[in-house]
Amino acid sequence: MIHYDLRCGAGHDFDSWFKDSEAFASQARAGFVECPVCGSKDVSKRLMAPAIPKKGRIRAKEAPPPEAAAQPPAAPAAPPPPPIPAQMVALLQRVRAEVEKKCDYVGRDFAEEARKIHRGESERPGIYGEASEADAEALREEGIEVAQIPWVPLAD
């Protein structure tokens, strides 16, 4: 994996990981790389310093530090969850903006309102709100389509 520092045409700096340099190039050509702040697809790599070990030194991951060799190995900690890639955050921000623009917020009454729409008792074109896992599963069992969307903060 390669970590790139990136900049959009509007001057926003961000970073992202790619399998290799060709993966970045092909995704950028296809319009899949975009700024998480403004959504611009005019994205370029920033100048980065390569990680080159000094002469005569080996890389840290090739040899354990001296104090680590004297101590028994610690139990491995659970890895932290990976961060959401910048492109996914930008996409989720656009999804949220569209949902908020085109649907009615019903808060904790989501399950009740979804049932009213399903029975034809409400003419709302679309709704969003909160529902417990149990309520969402009950709606699915009743044949009512529901989806959960990760609700990321909107871009500035």
Side-chain angles (χ1 to χ4, degrees), residues 4 6 13-18 32-39 43 83-94 152:
Y4 283 132
L6 305 171
D13 293 330
F14 59 102
D15 64 330
S16 192
W17 289 87
F18 297 90
F32 296 139
V33 180
E34 62 185 45
C35 175
V37 176
C38 66
V43 174
I84 299 175
Q87 294 92 339
M88 182 61 70
V89 171
L91 174 65
L92 290 171
Q93 288 170 333
R94 286 197 311 277
V152 298

Side-chain angles (χ1 to χ4, degrees), residues 1 15 19 21 30 57 69 81 85-86 93 111 113 118 126 136 139 148:
M1 295 291 282
D15 64 330
K19 178 181 175 190
S21 61
R57 289 191 175 176
Q93 288 170 333
E113 290 296 320
H118 185 70
L139 290 169
Q148 291 178 300

Side-chain angles (χ1 to χ4, degrees), residues 93-106:
Q93 288 170 333
R94 286 197 311 277
V95 168
R96 177 179 177 172
E98 285 297 307
V99 168
E100 289 179 338
K101 183 169 54 171
K102 296 180 179 179
C103 300
D104 294 333
Y105 177 71
V106 296

Side-chain angles (χ1 to χ4, degrees), residues 9 15 36 41 45 90 101 144:
D15 64 330
K41 294 182 182 185
K45 292 186 281 185
K101 183 169 54 171
I144 302 171

